[in-house]
Structures are given as C-alpha cells and as structure tokens.
Amino acid sequence: MNHRLKDTDRCVMCGLCLPHCPTYGLSRQEGDSPRGRISLMQGLASGRLEADDRVSAHLDGCLECRACESVCPSGVPFGRLMDEARALLREQRPDRPALPGVARPMLRGGATGRFMAGLLHTGQRLGLAGVAGRLPGLAGKPLGRALALLPAKATPATPRGIHTPAGDCLGTVQLFTGCTGNAFEGRALAAARDLLLALGYRVEVPPTQGCCGALDLHAGKPEATRRLAAGNLAAFAASDAPIISLNSGCRTQLREYAALIPEGAALAGRVRDLYGFLMEHEDRLFGEEGLVRPKPPEHRTRRVAVHLPCTLRNVLREQGAMLALLRRLPGLEVVELEGNDRCCGAAGAHMFTHPEAADALLSPKIEAARRQAPEAIITANIGCSLHFQAGLRRAGLEVPVMTPAEWLVSQWQVSSG
Ligand code: SF4
Ligand code: SF4
C-alpha cells in the first residue's frame, strides 16, 4: 500500500455517503461513488490497478465537493485522499492533462495573471460570452466554455495598494484577491474594501499575491501548489494582520497551507472569512446608530436566494456568518436556494473539464431559481457565481448573481465610522 493513501483503510464500506454524492446520483455507477473511488485508490496504491483511462475517468470525475467527508462516520479524509490519488495518477501518467490551457496563465497571478484577466475583460467588452458557444470550432471546447462563462456585465479592475479609512483607524487587514477574483471580482473586492474602510480598518491589497493553489492541487500537482503557497507567504509577510478572503474555495486552500509547507501554519491562522469578521462588528454595522442604513425602498431588493458553496458548507462550515449578516437587514427575505445540499457542478476546473456533468448538476438549481423567483442569487464563491451566471443566461433568466458584500453596498448606504 502506498503510504500516502493509507487513510483509505478507514473506510468501512458502509455506503452511508452514497446518497450524498452528486456524481453517483448522476451515473449510479459504483466507480463514481465515494466508496467506489476509495476502492480504486486502494487498487492503485497496492499496484493491483493501473492508472488506465477507466480508473482515471472515475477519479477525475469527482467534484471534490467533500459531501461524502462531511457525513462519513469513520472520518475518512476524502478530499486529501483524492488529491493524493490524483498526484499518484500523475506520477504514473505524467502526460495526463492538468488544467485547461486557457485557465493556466491566469492562475499564476502577478503580471501574467493580470495580462490574462485583461484579455478576458476585452472579450467581455466585445460581447464574446453571448456568441462563444455558437462559434465554429469553439463549441464544447475549453476556450469556448471559458468565453461563455464571462460575466455579461463588465468587471471593474481589482483594488490594489493601501487604502486608509477616513476617520479613526481600528487596525489593519489584508485582502486576498486570488486569481479568478483578480479577473472577475473587482466589484466584490471593492465592496469588501469599502465595508472594511467604513468600519475603520486600513486595507492592504498585496500586489504580488497569486492563486491559492487549489486548482493545481486538485489536478494532482502538489509541487505547483507549494510554489504558489510560498509566493503568497512572501506576498503577505509584511505584517501579521488578518487576511480577509471572500471566496470559500480560496479560503479552504489557504487554511490548508499548514499541511503543505513548513511555514504555512502562520499564514493559515491569519485567514478570516469576510462575513465572520464583519459580524464581529455587528452592532457597529447594524445597531441603532449603525453604519449601514437603508436606501429609499425603491432601490432595495426584497427577496434573495442564497446558494451555499460546497467548501463553505462541507469543509469550512462558515455559512452561519454570511446568513446572519443578510438576515440582519430589515425588509429582506432571505431564502436558501432549493438543493443547497448538492454541488452546483462548478467545482473548480470541473466546469471546463466535465461540461456535461457540470451543466446536469446546475440544471435543477436553475429550475429552483425559476420557481423561487428571487431578485438576486447570493453566493460566496467565484466559480459557483460564474457557472450560475452562464446557466441563468442560457435559461433566459435575468437574475443577478452577487456576493453578499456586493449586494449590501449596492442596496444599502454604508457611511464611514
Ligand atoms: S467513505 Fe465513510 S461513509 Fe463512505 S463508505 Fe467509507 S466509511 Fe462509509
Ligand atoms: S467529493 Fe463529492 S463528488 Fe467526490 S466522491 Fe465525495 S461526494 Fe462524490
């Protein structure tokens, strides 16, 4: 048995995880279930199985949603095991594809990532999202898929540098932008910065930060993730301030730096959820003399549906703060989007590498959006957001998808402290 996969022994093959697995729900094949995948990992680790196309397809099809891990009575660390199994697959088949070529430059952060983000923004301004799926040669290809995922609304540039509050300074925080956030979350990151400034925090956005490394790790490339982690360690080394992260996927990876690189624990311990941080200042934001005030009623959304990303729900379990923050806003009905216990299919690079499964998993959520008719869908992960926006566009539904921070500053007045 390969030492790295020895925790597969903790699986007692009870099958309790099967009803919670989205890919097993789609195919009904044991090889697409957590239990089946653990058997395949054991076969690979012992040398009984080869890393052939069939084994790779079952392991690569996993979303790493970790729904199985969250219900497993034996505490099988499924997410870590799947990362290790994919690294083993790559050792046995170094030629296997990693991330889609279109995504790779963006993940490097720095100048290359910014250049790629600029190209995507140009595509966005030219309206390529609407036609990409129909262009000959692009339909069904990763580039066509990437272009179709471009948000319809132009994305402003990500805030950079140091931002100082107008009044008394309570302290300093650093903002993690990540790679996809760098390209598509300018509005959400600016909203987060404005909320933190209003509270009285000095906000630093380190310019040399890059991708958290999750996509490389899930593609079986732990060395690439370690390099990215070391880069982020250096980028955030100037202070020991809290590192505020909007995206649950990035936050999960940043918290796991402790297990990846020797000095990773110090950075992991500083990583904070934006909404948990804001709710620590609940009275200052929402009390009688609070900083957040309603705009005139005609500007306010009355009903929102919340989509809970898998990393937030199954791994971090931090959805409480986000929901509590939204529920502090009077006059707002907050409902959970039906089917919140299932992955939407975005799952990092999965929406590029497995477009049919990704769309099949999204489909019931789009139907739920049609039934529940919210005025906005709120989520806390950029991958889910892009996948939802593309699905809603295809279905002809005009429902904006936003982060809680973006929604809050777009609908409410936030004064400075
Ligand atoms: S992973 Fe856990 S829940 Fe699933 S079969 Fe194994 S022991 Fe049972
Ligand atoms: S991580 Fe998600 S998709 Fe993968 S086996 Fe577990 S439940 Fe299924």
Side-chain angles (χ1 to χ4, degrees), residues 129-350:
V131 296
R134 300 192 292 276
L135 288 178
L138 280 186
K141 299 273 169 39
L143 179 58
R145 183 89 181 156
L147 290 171
L149 283 168
L150 289 174
K153 214 169 159 188
T155 312
T158 305
R160 310 217 152 268
I162 295 172
H163 308 262
T164 320
D168 293 344
C169 184
L170 296 186
T172 297
V173 294
Q174 294 182 313
L175 196 57
F176 184 77
T177 59
C179 55
T180 326
N182 201 17
F184 296 122
E185 282 204 303
R187 198 171 285 108
L189 288 161
R193 175 204 55 195
D194 292 348
L195 287 167
L196 292 163
L197 283 173
L199 268 183
Y201 283 89
R202 179 175 174 274
V203 182
E204 294 177 359
V205 191
T208 55
Q209 62 178 300
C211 172
C212 64
L215 294 188
D216 274 317
L217 192 64
H218 301 333
K221 299 178 79 178
E223 283 313 317
T225 302
R226 286 192 188 97
R227 280 195 295 278
L228 290 166
N232 281 327
L233 213 62
F236 286 92
S239 86
D240 58 0
I243 299 169
I244 306 287
S245 154
L246 274 70
N247 276 302
S248 57
C250 309
R251 199 157 65 251
T252 301
Q253 186 59 64
L254 294 171
R255 294 245 177 91
E256 290 177 358
Y257 277 6
L260 272 177
I261 50 173
E263 315 79 12
L267 184 141
R270 290 164 54 201
V271 175
R272 302 290 313 275
D273 161 31
L274 171 68
Y275 306 108
F277 191 83
L278 293 176
M279 285 307 282
E280 282 177 13
H281 302 274
E282 185 177 358
D283 284 346
R284 203 164 144 69
L285 283 171
F286 301 112
E288 232 165 75
E289 299 294 315
L291 305 174
V292 176
R293 299 286 171 82
K295 282 183 182 170
E298 62 273 21
H299 295 304
R300 267 192 287 153
T301 304
R302 313 305 303 183
R303 187 163 192 256
V304 293
V306 178
H307 162 70
L308 297 177
C310 300
T311 37
L312 191 68
R313 184 168 39 85
N314 296 330
V315 187
L316 299 170
R317 303 186 185 211
E318 289 177 338
Q319 64 269 39
M322 178 172 105
L323 290 167
L325 178 129
L326 290 168
R327 288 180 174 139
R328 279 298 261 129
L329 297 169
L332 176 71
E333 187 187 352
V334 182
V335 296
E336 285 200 30
L337 192 67
E338 287 164 20
N340 252 343
D341 58 331
R342 291 259 155 168
C343 177
C344 68
H350 184 266

Side-chain angles (χ1 to χ4, degrees), residues 17 20-24 32-35 37 61-69 78-79 82 86 314 343:
C17 51
H20 301 271
C21 174
T23 55
Y24 178 69
D32 292 333
S33 77
R35 183 175 64 186
R37 285 175 174 136
C62 174
L63 304 152
E64 295 222 36
C65 69
R66 293 165 74 170
C68 49
E69 190 174 313
F78 193 89
M82 182 53 73
R86 287 180 180 167
N314 296 330
C343 177

Side-chain angles (χ1 to χ4, degrees), residues 348-373:
H350 184 266
M351 59 186 166
F352 296 109
T353 56
H354 297 76
E356 282 175 21
D359 290 347
L361 291 169
L362 182 64
S363 175
K365 293 179 188 286
I366 299 296
E367 287 316 307
R370 200 189 293 280
R371 269 194 312 278
Q372 291 179 273

